[in-house]
Amino acid sequence: MSGHSGNDDPKAPLLAVVVHPPPNSDEPGPAGPATCQSLISCLLTPNSFYILLGPLLCAMICLLVKLQAAATSRNMLAVLAWMFAWWLTEAVPMPITSMAPLFLFPLFGIAAADDVASSYMDDVIALVLGSFILALAVEHYNIHRRLALNITLLFCGDPLNPPLLLLGICATTAFISMWMHNVAAAVMMMPVATGILQRLPESGPGQSPAVSKFCRAVVLGVIYSAAVGGMSTLTGTGVNLILVGMWKSYFPEADPISFSTWLFFGVPLALVIFLFLWAILCLLYCPKGSGPILSAYLDKAHLKRELTLLGPMAFAEKMVLTVFGMLIALWMTRSITDDIPGWGVLFNDRAGDGTVSKGEKLMDWSKCKKLPWNIVLLLGAGFAIADGVRTSGLAEILTKSLDFLEQAPYWAIAPLVSLIGAFITEFTSNNATTTLLVPLLIQIAKTMHVHPLLLMIPGAIGAQFAFLLPTGTPSNIVGFTTGHIEIKDMIKVGIPLKITGIVALSVLMPTLGKLQNA
């Protein structure tokens, strides 16, 4: 049978243990002092300590913390400490930590196993799976490269205009990131960007400063445009999906956050941040006089040659684009306004955005093996935690402990919330930050008697402002590994970009956000 590993003996163990005897009697055997010392040195490592830290914190809370509520609320707090210790230290792979609620919640009496498992296959999960399958289809049929070359050719200018070319590359990345996960968009666009930069002289002592700066601007533009573009739609980032799932979990009777509803707020916010990003990149990395220098290596002829090599569009490419367009149209028209119902009313509003996120014959399972199940599991963990905090009674305790915020003005809370999210996200994943922060913000909003989304959205979007460190998000790592940028470049652009994002968010939430939530 193909599943066997070369051993057809039915009595053979699945995991064979091989014991090697010592070469001679003078050397210590498997239980000798050298082996014991080696075992101790393997156990006494920082990672081993971090692994034990989660269960230790959990045990300490269960034994020492006394809450004026049911025992399940204390148990939920203990499980949260365990999971976030593992998430923050990354001592255990994130997918394993994300599956912890499946056995910890029933073990501590927080929720039944069936109830927890249902959180891992939500309508939002179907939405993210569909968007990733779409991203894989675009990548498989090389559509992203054709799209990028066409748009870049349009923005190149004659003679070469570096700021305009940079705008074309960044706008292409941001647009792609709107309709698929921002990490997938960065992974797809970075080879396109570096392919254009390969026409420029390699870095070294003889490289022109204008060439070096433009290379940095392009790489920084791709990774930051992917992040900014992803903010504008629900499918652009896992953080937005976590936010939508928690809203649905905590407020099941409220109107859900539809694709079109988020678009109304997300696009203006992303546009403001994107324009500032492009302006600061041009200011720092596209000095006057760089056009003639770059035009010697990079011009429209190069882009036209690249486009010609791709040949005419194949039937499969046209079909993927057709499905892509239909998917966007269905997402935007499922629920339009209260007066103009979308196609969802035909199904008594039982259809969600995940309903239209389906695979086509253009993609079979062998092409979908690269689906990021770690992100899917993390989304499921976020929804399970949101349910656990609410049903265990921990949410009520958090509400009582935040009474002092009731008198605080909203204009002071919103910037602070986004700043906290923007700070935490530099040291842990965007999704983990959102999973930690949003349930607390819901309780703060209840205490302040404001609409919960007025705090949930700044916290969630602030968690996407991971602009300072390479490890802040996988998109940053994609750019950092090209060798064109350094940490100081990210800090130089990231700090003003983060400040701009927080200011824009603080201005739009009490105006456009409040209008949308009214």
Side-chain angles (χ1 to χ4, degrees):
M1 203 163 92
S2 60
H4 287 184
S5 57
N7 189 351
D8 295 328
D9 184 2
K11 297 183 179 179
L14 294 176
L15 298 175
V17 179
V18 180
V19 179
H20 297 283
N24 55 64
S25 58
D26 295 332
E27 294 187 10
T35 305
C36 292
Q37 291 176 2
S38 176
L39 180 62
I40 292 174
S41 63
C42 290
L43 291 176
L44 296 179
T45 62
N47 193 67
S48 299
F49 170 75
Y50 294 143
I51 292 175
L52 294 174
L53 180 62
L56 285 175
L57 288 175
C58 179
M60 290 175 61
I61 292 175
C62 287
L63 294 174
L64 302 178
V65 175
K66 303 295 182 183
L67 300 177
Q68 300 298 322
T72 53
S73 59
R74 180 202 60 203
N75 294 347
M76 184 65 211
L77 182 63
V79 170
L80 282 178
W82 183 336
M83 292 186 62
F84 286 121
W86 278 3
W87 263 336
L88 294 173
T89 61
E90 296 184 358
V92 175
M94 185 172 290
I96 295 178
T97 307
S98 300
M99 290 189 292
L102 288 170
F103 63 90
L104 289 180
F105 281 18
L107 182 65
F108 284 86
I110 298 170
D114 289 343
D115 295 334
V116 180
S118 64
S119 299
Y120 288 81
M121 189 41 69
D122 189 84
D123 179 63
V124 176
I125 301 291
L127 176 62
V128 74
L129 281 173
S131 67
F132 270 114
I133 292 174
L134 176 63
L136 290 174
V138 170
E139 180 183 16
H140 178 75
Y141 292 106
N142 225 16
I143 297 172
H144 65 289
R145 184 169 180 83
R146 186 183 299 276
L147 176 65
L149 285 172
N150 275 290
I151 295 181
T152 307
L153 192 62
L154 177 66
F155 281 88
C156 187
D158 191 16
L160 179 67
N161 187 333
L164 193 60
L165 177 57
L166 179 63
L167 177 63
I169 296 172
C170 293
T172 304
T173 306
F175 177 78
I176 292 175
S177 182
M178 289 175 65
W179 313 110
M180 60 187 61
H181 199 279
N182 53 8
V183 177
V187 170
M188 288 165 50
M189 282 300 300
M190 195 57 71
V192 176
T194 54
I196 295 173
L197 299 181
Q198 283 175 358
R199 287 287 179 178
L200 304 176
E202 294 184 2
S203 59
Q207 188 184 46
S208 168
V211 173
S212 174
K213 287 185 175 181
F214 186 73
C215 290
R216 297 182 185 189
V218 168
V219 173
L220 289 170
V222 168
I223 60 175
Y224 290 151
S225 296
V228 173
M231 298 175 192
S232 58
T233 63
L234 293 183
T235 54
T237 172
V239 168
N240 293 349
L241 296 172
I242 291 175
L243 177 68
V244 171
M246 288 190 174
W247 171 256
K248 178 181 176 182
S249 175
Y250 274 89
F251 306 99
E253 302 300 325
D255 292 334
I257 304 175
S258 66
F259 194 91
S260 56
T261 302
W262 183 268
L263 207 67
F264 180 84
F265 171 78
V267 170
L269 173 66
L271 185 61
V272 170
I273 301 175
F274 175 82
L275 291 176
F276 180 82
L277 167 64
W278 176 62
I280 195 169
L281 287 176
C282 292
L283 181 65
L284 295 177
Y285 297 106
C286 294
K288 290 183 178 180
S290 59
I293 298 174
L294 295 174
S295 62
Y297 310 100
L298 184 65
D299 55 13
K300 282 193 172 183
H302 160 65
L303 298 172
K304 289 179 180 178
R305 283 197 301 272
E306 291 285 330
L307 193 58
T308 304
L309 289 175
L310 290 177
M313 287 188 68
F315 175 76
E317 293 180 71
K318 296 177 182 178
M319 288 304 300
V320 169
L321 288 178
T322 301
V323 173
F324 192 12
M326 291 174 59
L327 192 62
I328 294 172
L330 289 171
W331 275 337
M332 296 181 65
T333 58
R334 178 177 65 85
S335 176
I336 303 175
T337 65
D338 293 336
D339 299 325
I340 308 175
W343 59 265
V345 74
L346 300 176
F347 302 92
N348 297 322
D349 291 326
R350 293 178 179 176
D353 289 322
T355 306
V356 298
S357 302
K358 59 186 184 300
E360 300 290 330
K361 187 60 180 176
L362 292 164
M363 294 293 288
D364 54 32
W365 184 246
S366 63
K367 299 186 185 80
C368 297
K369 288 181 179 178
K370 295 191 293 183
L371 283 171
W373 294 108
N374 57 332
I375 294 179
V376 173
L377 290 173
L378 184 59
L379 289 171
F383 300 154
I385 288 174
D387 287 337
V389 169
R390 188 185 70 255
T391 59
S392 66
L394 183 60
E396 298 178 4
I397 296 175
L398 293 174
T399 302
K400 293 178 181 178
S401 64
L402 298 171
D403 287 342
F404 67 94
L405 291 174
E406 191 169 349
Q407 304 302 323
Y410 169 74
W411 60 264
I413 293 293
L416 180 61
V417 164
S418 56
L419 181 62
I420 292 172
F423 175 77
I424 297 175
T425 193
E426 297 293 347
F427 306 99
T428 184
S429 75
N430 302 353
N431 295 340
T433 301
T434 307
T435 304
L436 167 68
L437 199 57
V438 168
L440 298 179
L441 295 177
I442 292 174
Q443 306 311 318
I444 294 175
K446 289 180 178 179
T447 303
M448 296 178 62
H449 304 293
V450 299
H451 197 290
L453 287 177
L454 293 177
L455 292 187
M456 293 170 65
I457 291 177
I461 293 184
Q464 301 177 55
F465 295 157
F467 300 141
L468 301 183
L469 299 176
T471 55
T473 175
S475 301
N476 293 358
I477 297 176
V478 170
F480 198 75
T481 53
T482 62
H484 287 294
I485 60 174
E486 301 175 356
I487 293 180
K488 64 181 181 181
D489 296 308
M490 297 187 68
I491 294 176
K492 188 189 300 183
V493 178
I495 289 178
L497 191 62
K498 191 185 287 274
I499 294 173
T500 301
I502 293 173
V503 172
L505 197 56
S506 302
V507 171
L508 288 177
M509 277 310 304
T511 54
L512 189 60
K514 194 167 185 178
L515 176 65
Q516 186 69 1
N517 295 326

